[in-house]
Amino acid sequence: MDATAEQLLWMYEKMIEIREYEETMARVYLEGKLPPKIQKGLAFDIGAGPVPGEMHLAAGQEPVAVGVCAHLRADDTVVGAHRPHHFAIAKGVDLDAMTAEMFGKDTGLGRGKGGHMHLFDPVVKFSCSGIVGAGAPQACGAALAAKKLGRDSVAVAFFGEGAANQGAFHEALNLAALWKLPVVFVVEDNKYGISVEKSASTAIASNAERAAGYGMPGVLIERNDALAVFKVAGTAVARARRGEGPTLIEVKTDRYFGHFQGDPETYRPKGEAKELRQHDPIPVLGALVRDMGLLDANSDAGLRQRIATRVQAAYDFGRNSPYPRPEDALLHVFAE
């Protein structure tokens, strides 16, 4: 399955947007968290600054999100993990409301009550969770609903390779295969579950091999490449839409930042992240679209400027929005 010119340009634009968003957040998140603005004696205060709480960024992992979401429709469901921004942006979550949520503002997706690990947008059917492995069963639920309603919409569950060692992962695969649910399970293998290497936590080299145990196709993508993901995901999504059941995909991808912002990354070989950036997938796709004549240097620069403006506007919106009122603490807890 080859991508059309429109799909190639969409993937390229979204990858740039995701990277711009994550690198901006890496700067904004540090505001107020470092000495001398925090309590004396602390080196880092995770609760300080305009964006409090943990922050998990996905710079480097853009190919997984765009390669899959390029095949999805508005009525398809995506369930992300605790590192969710790339999936949310690729699924079309409102950038202003998503950013306001991270700032804890009343204009956020969850009225400022969820933060960055709990982004919910029913308009585009996106959700995520801070609970490792929780998304696979939830995607099965969305897929079962679509099947019961006689619709051909699908559900996608994204999670890290550490989540594939959770019981919920195996229960979800078993049920999805048994009931032939229209769901695609996508494992992002960025090598580390927090600070633990995959080789120290998982008995097999590729989680795609686990698919055979549940009677479904399993595919390993060994390159952090948007087109490679696009081709495999296209087959899996089409299979699900035809009512032929689930597929398990594992993608080897690269995490440029730490597990969380402020992570000292002592478990990582020195210079690893710098070396990974030498294989950045965005310039690779950019070279392809320019070679195909879909963009030239001027239009590429214009595209990047529009994206930078769009992302900055989202951060300005989040920063300048009002906080929820104290008396609203118990409102908007459940969706209607």
Side-chain angles (χ1 to χ4, degrees), residues 10 15 18 61-72 84-91 158 186 188 229:
W10 180 86
M15 288 174 72
I18 292 166
Q61 300 184 194
E62 298 89 352
V64 186
V66 303
V68 175
C69 290
H71 298 283
L72 301 184
H85 305 167
H86 52 329
F87 308 132
I89 292 172
K91 189 58 170 72
F158 291 102
V186 183
E188 283 188 304
V229 177

Side-chain angles (χ1 to χ4, degrees), residues 3 6 68 88 106 119 140 171 174 197 216 219 239-240 251 258 303:
E6 183 180 5
V68 175
D106 193 46
L119 305 172
C140 287
E171 294 170 31
N174 180 60
E197 280 205 44
M216 69 176 71
V219 184
R239 180 173 186 272
V251 186
L303 172 66

